Amino acid sequence: MKGIEITVKHRSEGSSYKIDIRDSLLETVGAWALERIGVRPKKVVVISNPTVFSLYGESVVSSLKSVKSEVSVWLMKDGERYKDLSSLDAALQHLSENRLSRDDIIVALGGGVVGDLAGFAAAIYLRGMRFLQVPTTLLAMIDSSVGGKTGINTAFGKNLIGAFHRPAGVLIDPHVLRTLPRRELTAGFCEAVKHGALSGFSLFNTTAEYLARKNASEGQESLEKLIAGQVAFKASIVRQDETETTTRNDARSRKILNFGHTFGHALEKVTNYRRLRHGEAVGYGILVAGEISKNLDLLSTNQLNLLYDVVHRAGTLPRISDIEAAAIFEAFKFDKKISGGNLNWILLNGIGNPVVVPENDIPRSAIKRAVEKILIS
Ligand SMILES: NC(=O)c1ccc[n+]([C@@H]2O[C@H](COP(=O)([O-])OP(=O)(O)OC[C@H]3O[C@@H](n4cnc5c(N)ncnc54)[C@H](O)[C@@H]3O)[C@@H](O)[C@H]2O)c1
Ligand SMILES: [Zn+2]
């Protein structure tokens, strides 16, 4: 099967990196790395976790060794709570002990947690070294591995410490999604619906159609195409607003990627980050943002129904009917504090037309009705 190659070329400078999407590409990661880096790296450090490494580590390491690089492996514990300073410290220690130089390479093999931590280690070790992303979850393939955001969580909040650091290349092998647990797939599909709703009917319909057929022995080729469409959309946004310019509020600013995240973050916080996967919380967040958009006469009932339909096709979301609206409003305050007092909602003026609206410009009743409706649904 022929692969797909997407180039992320940044508007601000000439530099670019490539995202390769091809089934069974993982076995040839060594040759691929050589091609993307341009020269044979002397040393390669694979950063992963035990879950992913036990499935794919051996073939990745042997492929990297086949191009005559010296390979070492550092595994972080599996879980969002380990995306923290102490794991970062341990990762940096491994790089130092193995005397990595700036000509060497880090390969991040895993989901968004591994990618964010490994990317941040690459950003700060020796003031920045090259790294390759090999995302193994759907969310990491279509979202976190594209766009150069890296970072860790602290006691004060998620992703508050980090850096923008572009990968030298991204390798997406959809084959690995066969071992991904069902809920992780649902979470990734919710982010895919988010991209579709922001992008327009072309990607929205491709996503909806894929989700409608996915249980009926859907071929790998259409999954590749879906991932390619998703990656191309994210790349189109980040290439022209890489660092999420705080003053930009237009329909193509990086800020719009937070669609579904205001309520999503609040829901994650209220449930102590335990009950829902991030993408599942975003699934509910898309519906709340859709309801608010409808309450403000921005979104038609028809299009809102389409949103419901596609979010439900992504998979079953955990029940949230026991959560009080008051707790959600408390959690909004936390997001507001982190954003310096300016909480923005990303709403839809129709599918494909996002608008950034300051919270203060929205009647509280429009938000309250939307939140209450989703909580009891
Ligand atoms: N940098 C960005 O722009 C960006 C964007 C979105 C999300 N994120 C971050 O991404 C993280 C979430 O990423 P995630 O959803 O990939 O979660 P994750 O990395 O925790 O992976 C989910 C689970 O799936 C397992 N797994 C991964 N690949 C597998 C495979 N192929 N087969 C079987 N199991 C597999 C992992 O071990 C883990 O248990 C969060 O920390 C979030 O902040 C970053
Ligand atoms: Zn997200």
Side-chain angles (χ1 to χ4, degrees), residues 4 6 18 43 48 96-97 123 135 173 188 197 243 248 281 283 294 321 344 349 361:
I4 302 167
I6 294 168
K18 288 197 163 57
K43 292 180 185 170
S48 189
S96 305
E97 278 166 9
D173 182 349
T243 55
R248 265 185 74 171
K294 161 135 185 306
S321 49
N344 286 313
N349 193 355
D361 293 356

PDB file of all heavy atoms in Angstrom, residues 4 6 18 43 48 96-97 123 135 173 188 197 243 248 281 283 294 321 344 349 361:
ATOM      1  N   ILE A   4       1.328   7.942   2.674  1.00  0.00           N
ATOM      2  CA  ILE A   4       0.965   9.349   2.502  1.00  0.00           C
ATOM      3  C   ILE A   4       2.008  10.189   3.220  1.00  0.00           C
ATOM      4  O   ILE A   4       2.434   9.851   4.328  1.00  0.00           O
ATOM      5  CB  ILE A   4      -0.435   9.623   3.106  1.00  0.00           C
ATOM      6  CG1 ILE A   4      -1.483   8.713   2.435  1.00  0.00           C
ATOM      7  CG2 ILE A   4      -0.823  11.097   2.957  1.00  0.00           C
ATOM      8  CD1 ILE A   4      -2.813   8.671   3.133  1.00  0.00           C
ATOM      9  N   ILE A   6       2.933  14.123   4.491  1.00  0.00           N
ATOM     10  CA  ILE A   6       2.436  15.498   4.669  1.00  0.00           C
ATOM     11  C   ILE A   6       3.594  16.351   5.169  1.00  0.00           C
ATOM     12  O   ILE A   6       4.306  15.965   6.095  1.00  0.00           O
ATOM     13  CB  ILE A   6       1.271  15.517   5.693  1.00  0.00           C
ATOM     14  CG1 ILE A   6       0.073  14.746   5.123  1.00  0.00           C
ATOM     15  CG2 ILE A   6       0.866  16.947   6.048  1.00  0.00           C
ATOM     16  CD1 ILE A   6      -1.006  14.450   6.120  1.00  0.00           C
ATOM     17  N   LYS A  18       8.443  16.423   8.010  1.00  0.00           N
ATOM     18  CA  LYS A  18       7.491  15.582   7.289  1.00  0.00           C
ATOM     19  C   LYS A  18       6.784  14.600   8.230  1.00  0.00           C
ATOM     20  O   LYS A  18       7.377  14.119   9.191  1.00  0.00           O
ATOM     21  CB  LYS A  18       8.217  14.789   6.202  1.00  0.00           C
ATOM     22  CG  LYS A  18       8.654  15.665   5.043  1.00  0.00           C
ATOM     23  CD  LYS A  18       8.971  14.808   3.829  1.00  0.00           C
ATOM     24  CE  LYS A  18       9.006  15.608   2.543  1.00  0.00           C
ATOM     25  NZ  LYS A  18       9.950  16.716   2.529  1.00  0.00           N
ATOM     26  N   LYS A  43      24.094   7.788  18.223  1.00  0.00           N
ATOM     27  CA  LYS A  43      23.307   7.203  19.320  1.00  0.00           C
ATOM     28  C   LYS A  43      21.820   7.569  19.183  1.00  0.00           C
ATOM     29  O   LYS A  43      21.498   8.705  18.808  1.00  0.00           O
ATOM     30  CB  LYS A  43      23.811   7.735  20.659  1.00  0.00           C
ATOM     31  CG  LYS A  43      25.197   7.245  21.009  1.00  0.00           C
ATOM     32  CD  LYS A  43      25.625   7.802  22.336  1.00  0.00           C
ATOM     33  CE  LYS A  43      27.066   7.403  22.614  1.00  0.00           C
ATOM     34  NZ  LYS A  43      27.607   8.115  23.764  1.00  0.00           N
ATOM     35  N   SER A  48       9.850   5.378  25.834  1.00  0.00           N
ATOM     36  CA  SER A  48       8.551   4.730  25.666  1.00  0.00           C
ATOM     37  C   SER A  48       8.001   4.393  27.054  1.00  0.00           C
ATOM     38  O   SER A  48       8.477   4.947  28.062  1.00  0.00           O
ATOM     39  CB  SER A  48       8.739   3.469  24.812  1.00  0.00           C
ATOM     40  OG  SER A  48       7.503   2.905  24.453  1.00  0.00           O
ATOM     41  N   SER A  96      22.085  12.010  29.977  1.00  0.00           N
ATOM     42  CA  SER A  96      23.416  12.417  30.443  1.00  0.00           C
ATOM     43  C   SER A  96      24.322  11.205  30.630  1.00  0.00           C
ATOM     44  O   SER A  96      25.468  11.199  30.182  1.00  0.00           O
ATOM     45  CB  SER A  96      23.322  13.166  31.775  1.00  0.00           C
ATOM     46  OG  SER A  96      22.437  14.242  31.643  1.00  0.00           O
ATOM     47  N   GLU A  97      23.776  10.172  31.304  1.00  0.00           N
ATOM     48  CA  GLU A  97      24.584   8.968  31.560  1.00  0.00           C
ATOM     49  C   GLU A  97      25.070   8.322  30.258  1.00  0.00           C
ATOM     50  O   GLU A  97      26.149   7.769  30.198  1.00  0.00           O
ATOM     51  CB  GLU A  97      23.761   7.937  32.345  1.00  0.00           C
ATOM     52  CG  GLU A  97      23.753   8.232  33.838  1.00  0.00           C
ATOM     53  CD  GLU A  97      22.661   7.428  34.564  1.00  0.00           C
ATOM     54  OE1 GLU A  97      22.047   6.529  33.948  1.00  0.00           O
ATOM     55  OE2 GLU A  97      22.428   7.728  35.731  1.00  0.00           O
ATOM     56  N   ALA A 123      13.775  19.094  24.048  1.00  0.00           N
ATOM     57  CA  ALA A 123      13.812  20.561  23.924  1.00  0.00           C
ATOM     58  C   ALA A 123      14.831  21.189  24.866  1.00  0.00           C
ATOM     59  O   ALA A 123      15.435  22.218  24.538  1.00  0.00           O
ATOM     60  CB  ALA A 123      12.419  21.137  24.208  1.00  0.00           C
ATOM     61  N   PRO A 135       4.003   8.211  17.151  1.00  0.00           N
ATOM     62  CA  PRO A 135       2.791   8.140  17.976  1.00  0.00           C
ATOM     63  C   PRO A 135       2.073   6.806  17.806  1.00  0.00           C
ATOM     64  O   PRO A 135       1.967   6.297  16.688  1.00  0.00           O
ATOM     65  CB  PRO A 135       1.934   9.290  17.425  1.00  0.00           C
ATOM     66  CG  PRO A 135       2.423   9.517  16.024  1.00  0.00           C
ATOM     67  CD  PRO A 135       3.884   9.148  16.031  1.00  0.00           C
ATOM     68  N   ASP A 173       2.053   4.809  11.906  1.00  0.00           N
ATOM     69  CA  ASP A 173       1.750   3.478  11.387  1.00  0.00           C
ATOM     70  C   ASP A 173       0.401   3.046  11.968  1.00  0.00           C
ATOM     71  O   ASP A 173       0.328   2.573  13.107  1.00  0.00           O
ATOM     72  CB  ASP A 173       2.869   2.507  11.828  1.00  0.00           C
ATOM     73  CG  ASP A 173       2.643   1.111  11.270  1.00  0.00           C
ATOM     74  OD1 ASP A 173       1.551   0.840  10.730  1.00  0.00           O
ATOM     75  OD2 ASP A 173       3.574   0.286  11.363  1.00  0.00           O
ATOM     76  N   GLY A 188      -9.696   9.301  20.899  1.00  0.00           N
ATOM     77  CA  GLY A 188      -9.062   9.855  19.696  1.00  0.00           C
ATOM     78  C   GLY A 188     -10.103  10.289  18.681  1.00  0.00           C
ATOM     79  O   GLY A 188      -9.985  11.346  18.053  1.00  0.00           O
ATOM     80  N   ALA A 197     -15.412  19.383  12.885  1.00  0.00           N
ATOM     81  CA  ALA A 197     -16.350  20.486  13.110  1.00  0.00           C
ATOM     82  C   ALA A 197     -15.689  21.845  12.856  1.00  0.00           C
ATOM     83  O   ALA A 197     -16.321  22.787  12.397  1.00  0.00           O
ATOM     84  CB  ALA A 197     -16.897  20.416  14.536  1.00  0.00           C
ATOM     85  N   THR A 243       2.879  29.295  17.737  1.00  0.00           N
ATOM     86  CA  THR A 243       2.990  29.477  19.194  1.00  0.00           C
ATOM     87  C   THR A 243       1.685  29.966  19.840  1.00  0.00           C
ATOM     88  O   THR A 243       1.690  30.482  20.949  1.00  0.00           O
ATOM     89  CB  THR A 243       4.121  30.473  19.522  1.00  0.00           C
ATOM     90  OG1 THR A 243       3.851  31.683  18.790  1.00  0.00           O
ATOM     91  CG2 THR A 243       5.478  29.933  19.142  1.00  0.00           C
ATOM     92  N   ARG A 248      -4.268  36.705  18.882  1.00  0.00           N
ATOM     93  CA  ARG A 248      -5.048  36.287  17.699  1.00  0.00           C
ATOM     94  C   ARG A 248      -6.344  35.601  18.115  1.00  0.00           C
ATOM     95  O   ARG A 248      -6.339  34.710  18.953  1.00  0.00           O
ATOM     96  CB  ARG A 248      -4.225  35.325  16.832  1.00  0.00           C
ATOM     97  CG  ARG A 248      -3.501  36.030  15.714  1.00  0.00           C
ATOM     98  CD  ARG A 248      -2.816  35.048  14.816  1.00  0.00           C
ATOM     99  NE  ARG A 248      -3.763  34.330  13.954  1.00  0.00           N
ATOM    100  CZ  ARG A 248      -3.374  33.543  12.961  1.00  0.00           C
ATOM    101  NH1 ARG A 248      -2.090  33.377  12.708  1.00  0.00           N
ATOM    102  NH2 ARG A 248      -4.274  32.923  12.218  1.00  0.00           N
ATOM    103  N   ALA A 281     -13.880  13.481  27.540  1.00  0.00           N
ATOM    104  CA  ALA A 281     -14.359  14.737  28.127  1.00  0.00           C
ATOM    105  C   ALA A 281     -14.555  15.777  27.015  1.00  0.00           C
ATOM    106  O   ALA A 281     -15.515  16.563  27.036  1.00  0.00           O
ATOM    107  CB  ALA A 281     -13.365  15.247  29.174  1.00  0.00           C
ATOM    108  N   GLY A 283     -15.404  15.059  24.008  1.00  0.00           N
ATOM    109  CA  GLY A 283     -16.641  14.664  23.322  1.00  0.00           C
ATOM    110  C   GLY A 283     -17.834  15.399  23.927  1.00  0.00           C
ATOM    111  O   GLY A 283     -18.650  16.007  23.215  1.00  0.00           O
ATOM    112  N   LYS A 294     -25.891  27.194  19.688  1.00  0.00           N
ATOM    113  CA  LYS A 294     -27.303  27.203  19.269  1.00  0.00           C
ATOM    114  C   LYS A 294     -28.098  28.218  20.105  1.00  0.00           C
ATOM    115  O   LYS A 294     -28.909  28.981  19.574  1.00  0.00           O
ATOM    116  CB  LYS A 294     -27.885  25.803  19.416  1.00  0.00           C
ATOM    117  CG  LYS A 294     -29.350  25.771  19.466  1.00  0.00           C
ATOM    118  CD  LYS A 294     -30.033  24.745  18.644  1.00  0.00           C
ATOM    119  CE  LYS A 294     -31.523  24.963  18.726  1.00  0.00           C
ATOM    120  NZ  LYS A 294     -31.992  25.006  20.133  1.00  0.00           N
ATOM    121  N   SER A 321     -24.167  11.919  34.647  1.00  0.00           N
ATOM    122  CA  SER A 321     -25.416  12.518  35.127  1.00  0.00           C
ATOM    123  C   SER A 321     -25.406  12.805  36.628  1.00  0.00           C
ATOM    124  O   SER A 321     -26.268  13.509  37.136  1.00  0.00           O
ATOM    125  CB  SER A 321     -26.600  11.622  34.761  1.00  0.00           C
ATOM    126  OG  SER A 321     -26.306  10.309  35.141  1.00  0.00           O
ATOM    127  N   ASN A 344     -11.970  32.137  27.201  1.00  0.00           N
ATOM    128  CA  ASN A 344     -12.631  32.206  25.895  1.00  0.00           C
ATOM    129  C   ASN A 344     -13.375  30.907  25.626  1.00  0.00           C
ATOM    130  O   ASN A 344     -12.901  29.834  25.982  1.00  0.00           O
ATOM    131  CB  ASN A 344     -11.588  32.384  24.776  1.00  0.00           C
ATOM    132  CG  ASN A 344     -11.019  33.781  24.760  1.00  0.00           C
ATOM    133  OD1 ASN A 344     -11.752  34.757  24.821  1.00  0.00           O
ATOM    134  ND2 ASN A 344      -9.697  33.880  24.683  1.00  0.00           N
ATOM    135  N   ASN A 349     -20.054  29.123  14.410  1.00  0.00           N
ATOM    136  CA  ASN A 349     -21.011  29.896  13.641  1.00  0.00           C
ATOM    137  C   ASN A 349     -21.336  29.054  12.399  1.00  0.00           C
ATOM    138  O   ASN A 349     -21.112  29.459  11.273  1.00  0.00           O
ATOM    139  CB  ASN A 349     -20.323  31.213  13.235  1.00  0.00           C
ATOM    140  CG  ASN A 349     -21.320  32.226  12.717  1.00  0.00           C
ATOM    141  OD1 ASN A 349     -22.493  31.928  12.579  1.00  0.00           O
ATOM    142  ND2 ASN A 349     -20.832  33.410  12.394  1.00  0.00           N
ATOM    143  N   ASP A 361     -18.900  37.953  27.111  1.00  0.00           N
ATOM    144  CA  ASP A 361     -19.846  38.347  26.057  1.00  0.00           C
ATOM    145  C   ASP A 361     -20.995  37.362  25.898  1.00  0.00           C
ATOM    146  O   ASP A 361     -21.849  37.536  25.038  1.00  0.00           O
ATOM    147  CB  ASP A 361     -19.109  38.454  24.697  1.00  0.00           C
ATOM    148  CG  ASP A 361     -18.102  39.598  24.674  1.00  0.00           C
ATOM    149  OD1 ASP A 361     -18.042  40.339  25.682  1.00  0.00           O
ATOM    150  OD2 ASP A 361     -17.387  39.733  23.663  1.00  0.00           O
TER     151      ASP A 361
END
